[in-house]
Amino acid sequence: MKQRLRQTATDRLLAWDRAVTVLLNRSLNWRVIRTFFTMISKLGNGRFWYSLMLILPCVHGLYGIRASLHMGLTALVVLSTYRFVKGAAQRPRPGAVHEAIWQATAALDEYSFPSGHTMHAVAFTFIATAWFPGLLIPLTVFTLLVALSRIILGLHYPTDVILGAIFGMLISLMSLKMTGF
């Protein structure tokens, strides 16, 4: 009985995951949406965050250097966690499994769980805003757009993004606690 209930809940979650992905992925029919979210995804692939890490020391000196180092070291933990979980889960990308989902840009690898873009964006946002609270709104908006881009572009399911965000948040909170924030 428990196994049947678990299977039913899993089936419902997978159906919801696919339905939301298909729904959001349909917005790619509008070129402006496709162009915008492709750009956001490319920026979220590190370009934006590495640029921020280079700008902070230029603007804030030693304090900016310390913040950037904190972001960089946390990113290494996020990257190793991401690679381990992705290799263990090996969940195929939505566009590779469902004909109704168009993968609008090239993926970095073949698996979707968890969303590495989202893990990094959330972790960087938590660390950067701990050091610079004034960045909270712009970084949060950018992070939400990165997360949304991954689903819209057909690269991830919502659960990949949600759990990627949770992993990024937990890693950054541990990092902040270890450094005394």
Side-chain angles (χ1 to χ4, degrees), residues 9-151:
T10 301
D11 289 344
R12 273 189 256 149
L13 178 62
L14 292 174
W16 174 83
D17 232 8
R18 190 178 123 220
V20 171
T21 304
V22 168
L23 179 69
L24 292 176
N25 187 250
R26 286 185 184 151
S27 68
L28 291 175
N29 290 324
W30 291 291
R31 188 169 48 164
V32 68
I33 298 287
R34 186 173 56 250
T35 302
F36 177 75
F37 281 105
T38 299
M39 179 193 68
I40 291 292
S41 184
K42 285 181 182 175
L43 288 171
N45 192 25
R47 290 176 177 98
F48 177 82
W49 303 111
Y50 303 139
S51 296
L52 179 63
M53 290 168 64
L54 290 172
I55 291 168
L56 290 175
C58 293
V59 175
H60 297 282
L62 184 58
Y63 190 78
I65 291 171
R66 290 175 51 216
S68 292
L69 285 173
H70 190 174
M71 290 172 68
L73 292 172
T74 302
L76 293 175
V77 176
V78 170
L79 181 62
S80 61
T81 302
Y82 155 81
R83 284 186 175 164
F84 174 78
V85 174
K86 193 163 266 212
Q90 296 187 356
R91 184 182 194 188
R93 293 194 182 269
V97 178
H98 305 288
E99 287 183 21
I101 299 171
W102 173 30
Q103 190 170 301
T105 188
L108 298 176
D109 57 50
E110 63 183 300
Y111 302 122
S112 77
F113 177 79
S115 168
H117 278 68
T118 306
M119 281 178 74
H120 280 92
V122 169
F124 281 136
T125 295
F126 269 82
I127 301 301
T129 58
W131 287 86
F132 302 98
L135 294 175
L136 179 64
I137 291 172
L139 293 186
T140 300
V141 169
F142 181 69
T143 294
L144 290 171
L145 290 172
V146 168
L148 188 57
S149 78
R150 308 310 289 162
I151 302 166

Side-chain angles (χ1 to χ4, degrees), residues 164-179:
I166 291 169
F167 287 145
M169 179 189 68
L170 292 174
I171 291 167
S172 61
L173 290 175
M174 286 188 293
S175 176
L176 289 166
K177 185 171 179 147
M178 288 173 55
T179 56

